[in-house]
């Protein structure tokens, strides 16, 4: 079945967005040093992570740091920047892929850490790397409906365990080239946290309007990228093709209602140089308007879009048109326009 789901918002603004990054930097050279025996045995050249993915380094939580605590800190920063009292927040949506346990939700720990009121609805949303944008859309709908005044969307990712498990497995003698490359994407992951505060546009005229956007599903590809704390297994070639076809289909259909051909900034989900280049080419984007953070942060999952938005903050000016866009495992794609 073909078609986009389209949403428009009349009175919702992004009031702030903040990020908290780990202090420990892990270079791609360090990861490949740990994999040296496997690379030698499989006769794979060094520098794969830099040459193929364009990832030079990523962040990992140092001793005494955690994704939950960092997410709470990002949330506090976002509330302070938006000048919103925690007691006025009516909704908290956590969008993290990372979770320490299945139950309770990650959101309850963050709700407590942020000191939100008992009236604040809180829950997790899982939609792979599109989780943050999905959370923003849900929050915007509840604000538009008058159910709440303020919402927080948060995310915290911890790539340490999955990378350690992956490296340990790739060093086994029974892993061949195909097996190695199916787990290559796990080595590009990074850690980080982000938070955003949303509110009513009429109460915050200086906010950044959330105009709406589209989503589209291609769930026939649900087995192309499957991950857990044990590892992430990907059919990279098929995933790239399926993702590009999905983005192009959504983009073409959206063009009858949205003019996204000349945005000031395209904030894309950060995966790799190959992925970014393919999206730019397929959608015919101006490469100069597509900032990248994957070289220094890697793929930080759902947090990558807000982290990149924070990084671009100094270059964003009032009146700029900003498009958030990405593809998540499953496959799903989402595009959301902001009027800065």
């Amino acid at each position: 079945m073909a078609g986009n789901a389209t949403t428009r918002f009349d009175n919702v603004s992004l009031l702030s967005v903040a990020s908290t990054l780990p202090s420990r930097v892990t270079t791609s050279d360090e990861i490949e040093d740990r994999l040296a025996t496997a690379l030698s045995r499989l006769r794979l050249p060094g520098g794969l992570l830099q040459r193929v993915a364009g990832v030079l380094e990523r962040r990992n939580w140092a001793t005494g740091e955690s994704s939950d605590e960092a997410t709470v800190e990002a949330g506090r920063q976002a509330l302070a920047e938006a000048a919103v009292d925690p007691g006025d927040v009516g909704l908290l949506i956590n969008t993290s892929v990372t979770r320490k346990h299945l139950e309770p939700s990650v959101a309850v720990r963050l709700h407590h850490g942020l000191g939100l009121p008992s009236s604040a609805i809180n829950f997790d949303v899982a939609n792979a790397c599109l989780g943050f944008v999905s959370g923003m859309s849900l929050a915007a709908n509840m604000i538009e409906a008058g159910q709440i005044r303020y919402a927080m969307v948060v995310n915290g990712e911890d790539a340490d365990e999955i990378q350690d498990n992956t490296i340990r497995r790739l060093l086994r003698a029974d892993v061949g080239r195909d097996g190695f490359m199916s787990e290559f994407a796990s080595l590009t992951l990074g850690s980080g946290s982000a938070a955003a505060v949303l509110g009513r546009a009429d109460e915050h005229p200086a906010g950044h309007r959330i105009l709406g956007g589209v989503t589209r599903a291609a769930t026939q590809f649900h087995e192309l990228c499957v991950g857990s704390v044990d590892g992430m297994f990907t059919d990279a070639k098929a995933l790239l093709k399926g993702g590009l076809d999905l983005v192009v289909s959504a983009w073409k259909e959206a063009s009858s209602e949205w003019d996204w051909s000349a945005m000031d900034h395209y904030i894309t989900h950060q995966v790799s140089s190959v992925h970014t280049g393919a999206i730019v080419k397929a959608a015919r984007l101006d490469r100069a308007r597509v900032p990248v953070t994957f070289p220094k942060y890697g793929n930080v999952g759902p947090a990558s879009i807000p982290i990149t938005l924070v990084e671009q903050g100094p270059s964003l000016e009032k009146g700029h048109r900003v498009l958030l866009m990405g593809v998540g495992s499953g496959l799903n794609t989402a595009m959301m326009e902001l009027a800065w």
Side-chain angles (χ1 to χ4, degrees):
M1 296 179 63
N4 292 343
T6 301
T7 307
R8 289 185 180 273
F9 303 112
D10 295 320
N11 193 28
V12 185
S13 283
L14 173 66
L15 306 184
S16 64
V17 59
S19 65
T20 304
L21 297 170
S23 63
R24 181 161 62 96
V25 176
T26 304
T27 67
S28 290
D29 286 341
E30 290 177 273
I31 288 181
E32 291 195 8
D33 283 345
R34 294 174 64 186
L35 288 167
T37 57
L39 293 170
S40 176
R41 177 175 57 81
L42 298 173
R43 297 183 179 179
L44 290 169
L48 278 176
L49 284 165
Q50 296 187 35
R51 189 171 62 256
V52 176
V55 177
L56 307 180
E57 59 189 36
R58 76 281 295 135
R59 298 292 184 93
N60 295 104
W61 301 110
T63 302
E65 298 175 344
S66 74
S67 58
D68 285 349
E69 291 179 1
T71 304
V72 169
E73 177 57 31
R76 289 172 179 159
Q77 291 179 31
L79 285 169
E81 183 181 327
V84 171
D85 188 279
D88 291 330
V89 175
L91 172 68
L92 172 74
I93 301 179
N94 171 65
T95 64
S96 306
V97 172
T98 297
R99 55 188 310 117
K100 294 182 175 68
H101 40 67
L102 294 176
E103 194 176 4
S105 69
V106 178
V108 296
R109 182 186 298 271
L110 305 176
H111 179 283
H112 175 70
L114 286 163
L116 301 186
S118 61
S119 56
I121 303 163
N122 59 94
F123 52 83
D124 292 351
V125 165
N127 194 17
C129 291
L130 289 181
F132 204 92
V133 177
S134 297
M136 288 178 64
S137 185
L138 282 172
N141 272 302
M142 291 182 69
I143 292 170
E144 191 96 326
Q147 292 178 267
I148 55 173
R149 283 182 69 200
Y150 297 108
M152 297 189 69
V153 180
V154 299
N155 182 274
E157 301 299 338
D158 186 343
D160 291 24
E161 186 174 2
I162 186 174
Q163 285 187 342
D164 287 341
N165 290 339
T166 298
I167 291 172
R168 192 177 302 115
R169 186 167 41 252
L170 293 180
L171 288 172
R172 291 184 345 205
D174 61 341
V175 174
R177 276 197 176 207
D178 289 344
F180 187 100
M181 295 312 297
S182 73
E183 298 196 61
F184 182 77
S186 299
L187 305 176
T188 69
L189 299 177
S191 302
S193 293
V197 175
L198 284 67
R200 291 171 56 95
D202 58 7
E203 292 184 350
H204 297 272
H208 316 300
R209 286 282 310 282
I210 300 176
L211 302 182
V214 304
T215 65
R216 191 183 186 99
T219 53
Q220 66 270 30
F221 299 123
H222 64 276
E223 294 184 339
L224 294 184
C225 182
V226 179
S228 69
V229 294
D230 292 325
M232 185 168 68
F233 302 87
T234 303
D235 182 338
K237 185 175 181 180
L239 186 67
L240 181 61
K241 183 181 185 307
L244 286 178
D245 289 346
L246 179 60
V247 168
V248 170
S249 296
W251 184 273
K252 286 182 176 179
E253 182 167 317
S255 64
S256 62
E257 299 182 61
W258 304 85
D259 178 16
W260 290 330
S261 60
M263 305 296 286
D264 295 291
H265 303 268
Y266 297 91
I267 308 297
T268 64
H269 169 53
Q270 302 291 301
V271 179
S272 68
S273 54
V274 173
H275 177 272
T276 301
I279 292 291
V280 167
K281 182 177 180 181
R284 298 180 180 178
L285 307 181
D286 180 348
R287 184 66 183 79
R289 301 184 182 190
V290 185
V292 296
T293 55
F294 63 79
K296 58 181 177 179
Y297 298 140
N299 178 352
V300 199
S304 71
I305 285 179
I307 285 174
T308 306
L309 192 57
V310 171
E311 293 273 312
Q312 285 300 295
S315 66
L316 298 175
E317 299 176 5
K318 185 174 178 58
H320 274 182
R321 299 178 66 202
V322 181
L323 187 67
L324 312 182
M325 58 189 298
V327 179
S329 300
L331 291 169
N332 285 291
T333 189
M335 303 170 193
M336 174 182 281
E337 182 175 350
L338 308 179
W340 209 258

